[in-house]
Amino acid sequence: MNGSIAKRYATALYEEAKAQFVDQQIYEHLGMLHTTMKAEPDLQMALINPRVTAEKKYKLLLLASGLDPEANTLYTRFLRLLLKNHRENQLRIIIFVYRDMYREQHGIDRVVFETAVEVDDTIVDHLTERIKAHRNREVECVHKVNPNLIGGFRLRIGDRHYDYSYRHQLEKIRKELCPTP
């Protein structure tokens, strides 16, 4: 049920943003808001706290989105509507749905590149360019460090997963040596 509410809000926002030619701007604001929400878990807690007023939540969301509290845009009106209807608990899902719609419409693949250690930006840039050339689409590449991989890397392009980590290779060897009945 909640997912369908979030989808309706995201779809309405996306359709209106396209009509006003601000879909990229909204995409960027939502991206910044998502990044801030991941980095600051207290923001999510404040949004679902009934003791925090709608006006304070609004100002927090604008700050997290990098916007001026005096701005009057489709994005700010959307945030006000969300808070007025007490749907702030749906915001993360709305962000995901909107961003997926935008990427699909604009031919953008989201790529997650995981390595066991930090790698130089030139490696990430080279990977991004290779994927762009191979898939003939735009690419948003996110690099994550995951020490549990031990070595090697994992790559996710859309719904495709490629695991070339040492951890995965060791698991394959373990399964071959000790098959479970």
Side-chain angles (χ1 to χ4, degrees):
M1 181 74 141
N2 286 345
S4 64
I5 292 170
K7 185 169 177 141
R8 283 186 289 183
Y9 274 85
T11 302
L13 177 60
Y14 185 73
E15 292 300 322
E16 186 59 29
K18 271 193 344 186
Q20 293 184 26
F21 304 103
V22 294
D23 54 326
Q24 181 178 354
Q25 183 182 26
I26 302 287
Y27 179 77
E28 291 167 1
H29 292 321
L30 290 174
M32 180 174 257
L33 179 57
H34 178 256
T35 300
T36 305
M37 289 175 84
K38 277 178 47 179
E40 300 292 337
D42 289 344
L43 175 58
Q44 183 70 28
M45 296 306 293
L47 289 176
I48 61 174
N49 186 340
R51 296 179 122 175
V52 177
T53 67
E55 191 57 29
K56 284 184 182 175
K57 290 177 183 181
Y58 175 73
K59 287 180 180 174
L60 282 171
L61 289 170
L62 286 183
L63 183 63
S65 302
L67 290 173
D68 177 7
E70 301 303 316
N72 182 17
T73 64
L74 174 61
Y75 183 75
T76 59
R77 291 189 306 275
F78 173 76
L79 292 178
R80 288 217 181 265
L81 177 68
L82 203 65
L83 293 166
K84 176 184 170 203
N85 294 335
H86 306 287
R87 299 292 189 204
E88 54 269 30
N89 62 334
Q90 298 293 305
L91 190 53
R92 288 184 72 118
I93 300 169
I94 292 168
I95 291 170
F96 285 120
V97 172
Y98 183 97
R99 292 175 82 197
D100 282 348
M101 292 169 70
Y102 181 87
R103 287 181 186 125
E104 182 64 31
Q105 186 75 31
H106 292 275
I108 300 170
D109 284 333
R110 184 168 192 273
V111 173
V112 178
F113 177 51
E114 271 185 286
T115 57
V117 296
E118 192 66 46
V119 296
D120 191 68
D121 287 343
T122 57
I123 292 172
V124 177
D125 293 343
H126 178 72
L127 175 70
T128 302
E129 291 305 315
R130 295 278 312 260
I131 294 170
K132 273 184 185 180
H134 178 73
R135 295 181 57 88
N136 204 21
R137 291 171 58 99
E138 285 300 310
V139 172
E140 284 182 4
C141 189
V142 177
H143 174 245
K144 296 181 178 181
V145 175
N146 181 352
N148 292 329
L149 298 180
I150 303 170
F153 67 92
R154 281 197 295 212
L155 187 63
R156 187 174 72 226
I157 305 171
D159 58 358
R160 293 182 155 216
H161 299 263
Y162 305 93
D163 194 338
Y164 299 102
S165 68
Y166 291 179
R167 174 174 224 84
H168 179 70
Q169 300 303 318
L170 290 170
E171 276 296 312
K172 283 174 52 178
I173 292 169
R174 185 187 64 74
K175 286 180 181 176
E176 288 177 17
L177 292 174
C178 305
T180 54

